[in-house]
Amino acid sequence: KQEVTQIPAALSVPEGENLVLNCSFTDSAIYNLQWFRQDPGKGLTSLLLIQSSQREQTSGRLNASLDKSSGRSTLYIAASQPGDSATYLCAVMDTGRRALTFGSGTRLQVQP
Amino acid sequence: DAGITQSPRHKVTETGTPVTLRCHQTENHRYMYWYRQDPGHGLRLIHYSYGVKDTDKGEVSDGYSVSRSKTEDFLLTLESATSSQTSVYFCATAGGGGVAGELFFGEGSRLTVL
């Protein structure tokens, strides 16, 4: 059974800092890995998707890496802004089942 | 935006009553999912569908049933609601012409069982 863990559970940083969010998973037989953002009381917004054959994806100030063999992914946020404050969720899709298994998320607060 | 509409968005009901949540999509996506989100547990898969009339269970399917008679609609039914089913329920879809395996989520349905 796939298990996804995110560290840290919460993070507070001053504006302008570069930061890294960590995600680990137990079964390396994945189809893809996805990072989402969730604002309070809202749904999930897809940030980045990395296919199993890829090592990283970039979108603006966000960069996500994938090391399938070690079961790890990181989300790097450059020059953080108060508008980045949200919960960030990591999820993996297994090769056998086209459904995502989620981590519990990292709650990020960027202080102005 | 994948055009996903969940209804109702908010519902308060009493223990023992039946409840149906509806997910409607306009993107002709093949896959549809129901997740629940609870503090400390993240999102957990209840049921999913890989085509009309084709469904399978997720990790927390006890007490829930689903139906998909049309591509665009995926219904989640609680036959007899319990307080442990108080949660926020999210519908998601995947399988359009975009990135393979990318999921799109609705805004959620908040259910309170008294």
Side-chain angles (χ1 to χ4, degrees):
Chain A
K1 176 190 168 188
Q2 180 75 266
E3 293 183 3
V4 181
T5 303
Q6 291 188 246
I7 294 173
L11 183 62
S12 181
V13 301
E15 182 177 4
E17 272 204 9
N18 302 324
L19 55 99
V20 174
L21 307 182
N22 296 294
C23 172
S24 62
F25 48 95
T26 55
D27 186 346
S28 62
I30 66 170
Y31 184 73
N32 65 43
L33 182 144
Q34 300 179 40
W35 284 93
F36 295 87
R37 169 187 172 132
Q38 185 177 31
D39 294 295
K42 300 293 187 182
L44 280 68
T45 300
S46 179
L47 296 174
L48 291 165
L49 182 153
I50 311 176
Q51 301 291 0
S52 63
S53 58
Q54 299 174 320
R55 294 299 300 268
E56 66 176 347
Q57 282 287 335
T58 298
S59 176
R61 295 182 293 108
L62 304 180
N63 175 275
S65 67
L66 173 64
D67 185 341
K68 209 170 59 167
S69 61
S70 67
R72 296 180 187 277
S73 175
T74 60
L75 178 66
Y76 175 82
I77 302 177
S80 57
Q81 303 171 357
D84 295 331
S85 298
T87 295
Y88 291 81
L89 294 157
C90 169
V92 298
M93 181 176 285
D94 296 327
T95 54
R97 184 183 72 169
R98 293 292 190 96
L100 290 174
T101 301
F102 282 84
S104 295
T106 294
R107 189 170 66 254
L108 173 65
Q109 183 75 30
V110 181
Q111 308 290 345
Chain B
D1 189 352
I4 302 170
T5 304
Q6 293 185 227
S7 59
R9 294 289 314 281
H10 300 273
K11 186 172 182 66
V12 180
T13 191
E14 294 190 351
T15 297
T17 60
V19 176
T20 296
L21 305 180
R22 180 182 183 237
C23 179
H24 178 78
Q25 57 128 338
T26 59
E27 301 296 320
N28 200 37
H29 285 177
R30 176 184 175 187
Y31 296 89
M32 297 187 75
Y33 311 82
W34 279 108
Y35 285 88
R36 60 177 289 175
Q37 186 174 34
D38 305 289
H41 288 280
L43 277 85
R44 294 179 291 174
L45 181 68
I46 306 171
H47 283 279
Y48 68 103
S49 169
Y50 45 95
V52 174
K53 298 192 190 310
D54 292 323
T55 64
D56 205 350
K57 297 179 180 181
E59 288 78 33
V60 291
S61 60
D62 288 348
Y64 301 94
S65 63
V66 290
S67 66
R68 190 168 180 203
S69 58
K70 300 184 290 185
T71 298
E72 57 266 34
D73 289 325
F74 193 33
L75 303 180
L76 177 70
T77 297
L78 292 65
E79 300 290 347
S80 178
T82 66
S83 59
S84 65
Q85 293 175 313
T86 293
S87 186
V88 180
Y89 292 85
F90 286 100
C91 174
T93 71
V99 177
E102 184 174 17
L103 264 69
F104 300 90
F105 281 79
E107 288 293 303
S109 294
R110 182 174 295 276
L111 175 66
T112 302
V113 184
L114 302 175

